[in-house]
Amino acid sequence: MIRKLFHHTIAKVFRRSKPGRHQPATIAAARHGIRREQVSSGARRTCEALQKAGHQAYIVGGAVRDLIAGILPKDFDIATNATPDEVRHIFRRSRIIGRRFQIVHVMQGAETLEVSTFRAAHDEDTLKDEHGRVLRDNVWGSIEDDAARRDFTFNALYYDPVRETVLDYHNGVDDIKCKTLRMIGTPRDRYREDPVRMLRAIRLAAKLGFTIDPGTSDPIPTMANLIENVPAARLFDEMLKLLISGHAVECVKRLRDAGLHHGLLPLLDVILEQPLGERFVMLALRSTDDRVRANLPCSPSFLFATLLWHEVLSNWEIRKKADELPTPALYLAMDSVLDQQAEKLAITRRIAADIKELWALQPRFEKRTGRHPFRLVEQLRFRAAWDFLVLRAESGEIKQELADWWKQFQESDPQHREALLQPEDTKKRRRSRSSRGRGHPSETTTEIVPCRVLSSH
Ligand code: ATP
Ligand code: MG
């Protein structure tokens, strides 16, 4: 009871309402084109119940934008002037989550809806770092404030499923109709507050096929370095969203045009400047886009393994030239590339382990004698490693013949598999053993050729 009273009072104190600052346009169904049935029943019921209890409640953000643009939304978020405690009391099946800024998860059948209380826009009291990046953003506000703190005009639209109208605070509907992505407020200030907005601009413009308004895109190349101050975990999330958006190829092209690829994966720019590296990365992204669009699962480890593979190859080659043994050299190369990335991207330990496994399996495809191939196909990650091998062949890094052989091996019955095996090269084995004995590493079990070597031909 005391907690509730305290929350209520705090809510009232912290609601920084600035009435009349921005009057919204009320857009009727004939113009916005959203049909009530396009909204999930759970989202509709949640808004209705909140309104019945005397609160404002709207569907907001990406879902409204996507529906007006004719795209099926991923999920429906709800914004309200009710505090989290008030929301929690209206819905039996709900729970408050988050510590810094609480939101409520409302369960409606199999659906979980995210309900957030209107937030205040930033002002001179907002806590920022030395570059102007907002560090704390947890004050409740009015609907006008909530609209003003959103990033792009098309993301500040509030759909009321009861009245079937859209409240448009920043001309977002017109911008959708003319396929324009435009920042709310002064773009330079908004990028300084949160540099991730640069990545969001690129990702959303690529997803929607929109043009970024020059006022919004012009500052990006000169402000791209601010991405470096973004915490690694947030950058990883954002990068992943971008890569599994179904528009990764378009996103990477646009990132490069905007000069933004430097800050993301420190080496992505280097990779994209090497002909074979670029071909490989683009093929991998295209195949990811196809999978996303076909609703097939995509693993983050596979994606990051492809993005970083050519760096591993280059690093490995340098080590081998310095007379390191190939297998330990590969492991050292993998660690060195992942360590370099870890400073920028918080690749979790689990994902890093999966990436390493994929890479470490690659040289094993070269061994087509004895029991090696039989053991390899039994590996848990064989399927992913094989997909990786196919991309390497398609990009021209390794011979197509190797990928074809493995395809045939997998498709054959046990008897035919035996017939496919290559004869053991006993002479080579002897040679290699004796040269190792002399301290001369020539243990060349693999034909992997790094792009730098190939591209110089
Ligand atoms: P997607 O289709 O990828 O989900 P989205 O715009 O819905 O795109 P979310 O991350 O789901 O992206 O964010 C929901 C809403 O929150 C956005 O529509 C926007 O209004 C607001 N928002 C998200 N990130 C920011 C940000 N960095 N700055 C300001 N507003 C933001
Ligand atoms: Mg969303």
Side-chain angles (χ1 to χ4, degrees):
M1 181 66 196
I2 291 173
R3 191 168 154 257
K4 195 176 160 197
L5 205 74
F6 174 76
H7 236 88
H8 218 86
T9 320
I10 290 283
K12 291 266 153 62
V13 170
F14 280 118
R15 265 182 203 149
R16 286 197 206 126
S17 168
K18 291 165 187 157
R21 207 176 43 160
H22 224 109
Q23 281 307 313
T26 304
I27 316 266
R31 175 148 171 75
H32 63 66
I34 302 175
R35 280 174 290 110
R36 201 199 298 250
E37 318 78 74
Q38 292 177 299
V39 174
S40 76
S41 65
R44 269 184 281 157
R45 272 184 281 144
T46 307
C47 285
E48 281 161 12
L50 283 162
Q51 290 190 12
K52 232 186 229 159
H55 303 289
Q56 294 173 288
Y58 301 91
I59 291 153
V60 283
V64 186
R65 172 200 71 214
D66 287 354
L67 283 172
I68 299 177
I71 297 173
L72 205 65
K74 287 200 304 251
D75 42 33
F76 293 89
D77 294 333
I78 291 158
T80 177
N81 62 345
T83 63
D85 269 343
E86 286 167 338
V87 177
R88 171 76 193 84
H89 280 94
I90 294 170
F91 301 97
R92 201 172 45 83
R93 290 180 63 219
S94 66
R95 64 192 150 97
I96 295 179
I97 59 157
R99 248 183 292 159
R100 206 174 57 119
F101 194 88
Q102 297 184 324
I103 58 166
V104 187
H105 275 174
V106 173
M107 277 68 84
Q108 299 270 18
E111 265 186 271
T112 299
L113 287 307
E114 215 171 273
V115 180
S116 32
T117 305
F118 297 144
R119 280 195 228 185
H122 308 129
D123 61 17
E124 50 295 343
D125 298 334
T126 308
L127 188 65
K128 296 179 181 168
D129 74 3
E130 74 268 28
H131 307 283
R133 191 169 64 83
V134 170
L135 296 174
R136 209 167 294 148
D137 178 19
N138 52 357
V139 180
W140 291 324
S142 67
I143 183 166
E144 292 93 326
D145 295 333
D146 190 82
R149 65 163 286 286
R150 291 180 185 267
D151 42 10
F152 310 117
T153 59
F154 57 39
N155 279 344
L157 298 169
Y158 296 72
Y159 176 68
D160 179 341
V162 177
R163 292 179 189 80
E164 295 189 74
T165 50
V166 167
L167 295 186
D168 182 354
Y169 283 85
H170 297 275
N171 242 351
V173 173
D174 277 350
D175 280 341
I176 296 176
K177 302 278 175 196
C178 61
K179 294 181 174 289
T180 302
L181 180 144
R182 194 187 313 274
M183 183 71 87
I184 296 171
T186 311
R188 282 191 162 275
D189 297 344
R190 305 298 314 277
Y191 291 138
R192 217 168 283 125
E193 284 170 5
D194 182 5
V196 163
R197 288 177 184 144
M198 293 187 250
L199 298 179
R200 286 180 54 83
I202 303 281
R203 172 168 66 85
L204 292 174
K207 164 180 165 167
L208 297 158
F210 282 16
T211 310
I212 305 182
D213 173 68
T216 301
S217 62
D218 287 351
I220 293 181
T222 55
M223 301 188 81
N225 61 325
L226 291 181
I227 295 276
E228 287 167 22
N229 309 319
V230 175
R234 174 122 194 264
L235 203 55
F236 180 77
D237 286 349
E238 213 38 57
M239 184 75 183
L240 197 57
K241 266 194 190 176
L242 192 143
L243 293 171
I244 56 169
S245 64
H247 303 271
V249 170
E250 184 59 26
C251 281
V252 168
K253 279 188 188 148
R254 287 183 184 229
L255 283 176
R256 191 156 36 167
D257 292 346
L260 261 178
H261 54 294
H262 295 283
L264 295 174
L265 287 163
L267 303 165
L268 191 57
D269 48 347
V270 182
I271 301 164
L272 292 175
E273 272 146 31
Q274 301 172 26
L276 269 172
E278 157 150 25
R279 210 171 128 66
F280 181 69
V281 167
M282 284 303 173
L283 273 172
L285 294 180
R286 202 157 294 133
S287 99
T288 307
D289 283 351
D290 292 344
R291 287 184 71 86
V292 173
R293 289 179 200 190
N295 260 331
L296 294 168
C298 293
S299 97
S301 49
F302 188 90
L303 261 167
F304 284 100
T306 56
L307 290 179
L308 299 171
W309 173 239
H310 276 260
E311 278 310 305
V312 174
L313 287 183
S314 305
N315 193 305
W316 189 21
E317 189 59 19
I318 293 167
R319 289 174 189 279
K320 281 191 290 185
K321 280 201 178 125
D323 271 3
E324 288 182 40
L325 284 169
T327 304
L330 173 60
Y331 280 84
L332 288 172
M334 297 192 307
D335 282 340
S336 138
V337 169
L338 282 173
D339 284 349
Q340 235 171 320
Q341 301 305 313
E343 287 169 24
K344 272 274 136 253
L345 282 172
I347 295 180
T348 58
R349 235 180 260 200
R350 163 97 202 280
I351 292 182
D354 284 353
I355 294 176
K356 276 202 219 171
E357 197 181 347
L358 256 179
W359 287 340
L361 287 172
Q362 295 308 304
R364 292 182 54 182
F365 282 101
E366 303 289 339
K367 296 180 181 166
R368 290 182 270 174
T369 55
R371 297 292 93 194
H372 289 299
F374 293 93
R375 281 201 290 269
L376 189 54
V377 287
E378 295 304 322
Q379 291 284 325
L380 214 59
R381 300 270 288 155
F382 173 79
R383 185 67 219 186
W386 149 252
D387 287 343
F388 199 92
L389 184 87
V390 169
L391 283 176
R392 292 175 57 211
E394 269 180 60
S395 73
E397 180 216 327
I398 53 164
K399 291 190 187 117
Q400 183 60 40
E401 181 269 330
L402 184 64
D404 293 343
W405 187 90
W406 276 96
K407 184 169 187 291
Q408 216 183 343
F409 187 80
Q410 289 173 77
E411 288 169 357
S412 303
D413 55 39
Q415 220 177 354
H416 285 103
R417 283 183 174 184
E418 293 286 351
L420 285 171
L421 293 177
Q422 290 182 340
E424 299 244 21
D425 184 352
T426 42
K427 261 194 229 149
K428 191 172 158 189
R429 258 182 33 200
R430 231 177 286 133
R431 245 197 343 259
S432 129
R433 248 189 238 134
S434 62
S435 67
R436 243 182 289 158
R438 289 198 306 271
H440 233 287
S442 62
E443 189 201 337
T444 47
T445 49
T446 168
E447 290 165 17
I448 296 171
V449 187
C451 57
R452 283 207 185 109
V453 177
L454 269 185
S455 58
S456 64
H457 285 304

